[in-house]
Amino acid sequence: MKQITGKTKLLGVIGDPIEHSLSPIMHNAAIEKMGLDFIYVPFRVRDLKPAIAGFAAIDLQGFSITIPHKQAIIPLLSEITDAAKAIGAVNTVWKGESGWIGTNTDITGFLAPLRSHAPSVAVVLGNGGAARAVVAGCAELGCSEIHVVGRSKLQEFQAAWNLSALKTHTWDQLSDLLPHADLIVNTTPIGMSPNFDDSPITDHHAERIQENAIAYDLIYVPNPTRFLKQAQQQGATAIDGLEMLVQQGAAALEIWTQQEVPVEVMRQALQNHLGLAHSN
């Protein structure tokens, strides 16, 4: 067991709730492998402003951010990167000379398993916060068409981007979009544990998926989700959300430590914790 001393440097993750976070599992596994005197701790934070001041007072080296603080933290930071500006949210913070600096590694995480593919037409299911990282990632991939499907605030979502490739749609248009998509991404929570039998698409929708398409679900429990099973039955390639979780975390840990991070150790720690023999 790791010995924590007065020299141990502190990292963490903030959110509310925070009990469900898997970040400490993968980060502490990597830190141990790297031989660093760091510890990564979850903090339940309801009131951001005094928490951020407190983190500076106790010399926290950096922290991750999860729901509901990814957007609310931006005014409390000295600087945010272009990636964070594009997404409109921050998930990783570190100490700079002038104060806290924020970025968003969700794009890095999302793109990692897609680097060997070249999708051109993307359909994004949902238009919440996670969809923003996905749209930014699809733009970086060079997708010629990015179709975002949502239930409300579609005009607001569209107006936030200066992307000619981006179009927003209501769910009743999904059947017409799927046959042309070579990348379909679920950014909604539909199908997340414990609702194993739920899917953002119907079986009728699934029949419209191309055989050579990639179906990507940001959810990692259950594994695979019903959405991914539906897509695989049509011959599509399935990618689950575990890899995005691992890769965004690895990118953050690299920022904090300025060292190469053992990604496989992080992946294996999560797979062992979740009882998964492998990840797609």
Side-chain angles (χ1 to χ4, degrees):
M1 185 175 177
K2 179 179 174 61
Q3 287 295 112
I4 299 172
T5 71
K7 295 180 180 179
T8 303
K9 293 181 179 178
L10 195 59
L11 297 167
V13 55
I14 67 171
D16 183 23
I18 199 63
E19 294 84 359
H20 68 287
S21 177
L22 299 181
S23 293
I25 293 165
M26 64 177 181
H27 280 296
N28 286 318
I31 287 165
E32 182 179 358
K33 179 69 173 179
M34 295 164 78
L36 300 175
D37 192 7
F38 280 77
I39 190 77
Y40 183 101
V41 183
F43 296 100
R44 185 181 183 186
V45 170
R46 290 179 171 175
D47 193 345
L48 264 180
K49 196 168 185 178
I52 302 308
F55 287 159
I58 64 171
D59 200 28
L60 194 77
Q61 301 298 299
F63 55 96
S64 312
I65 305 155
T66 187
I67 294 169
H69 302 311
K70 286 187 174 187
Q71 292 173 303
I73 197 169
I74 291 175
L76 303 177
L77 303 176
S78 299
E79 181 185 338
I80 67 170
T81 63
D82 289 343
K85 288 174 186 173
I87 298 174
V90 164
N91 79 332
T92 301
V93 172
W94 69 97
K95 284 196 310 185
E97 290 183 8
S98 60
W100 296 112
I101 302 172
T103 191
N104 197 307
T105 63
D106 284 335
I107 300 179
T108 302
F110 169 69
L111 289 175
L114 291 174
R115 291 298 187 187
S116 59
H117 302 277
S120 59
V121 179
V123 170
V124 181
L125 307 177
N127 62 321
R132 296 186 62 84
V134 169
V135 168
C138 288
E140 190 172 318
L141 279 173
C143 291
S144 58
E145 297 178 33
I146 305 169
H147 300 281
V148 174
V149 183
R151 299 197 188 284
S152 62
K153 299 184 178 179
L154 289 170
Q155 287 183 320
E156 184 182 323
F157 189 93
Q158 177 89 51
W161 299 88
N162 183 26
L163 276 177
S164 59
L166 178 65
K167 292 183 173 59
T168 55
H169 308 266
T170 53
W171 282 90
D172 59 352
Q173 297 171 287
L174 183 58
S175 287
D176 295 330
L177 296 171
L178 288 173
H180 308 287
D182 48 15
L183 174 64
I184 306 144
V185 187
N186 177 34
T187 73
T188 78
I190 301 170
M192 187 178 290
S193 176
N195 302 312
F196 301 120
D197 295 329
D198 292 350
S199 171
I201 66 171
T202 65
D203 288 338
H204 170 70
H205 286 141
E207 290 169 1
R208 316 265 303 162
I209 295 175
Q210 292 187 70
E211 186 178 342
N212 61 345
I214 301 163
Y216 195 147
D217 202 329
L218 303 194
I219 295 169
Y220 47 87
V221 177
N223 186 306
T225 58
R226 184 171 173 223
F227 164 64
L228 291 183
K229 289 178 182 175
Q230 289 171 305
Q232 284 176 310
Q233 285 172 356
Q234 302 304 313
T237 298
I239 299 174
D240 64 70
L242 192 70
E243 193 62 16
M244 179 172 174
L245 179 66
V246 169
Q247 295 287 350
Q248 64 79 27
L253 191 56
E254 189 169 319
I255 290 169
W256 297 322
T257 65
Q258 293 296 295
Q259 294 187 29
E260 188 175 343
V261 173
V263 178
E264 179 55 35
V265 169
M266 299 177 78
R267 186 185 296 116
Q268 193 64 54
L270 288 185
Q271 288 173 359
N272 291 346
H273 176 77
L274 294 169
L276 301 173
H278 65 280
S279 175
N280 291 331

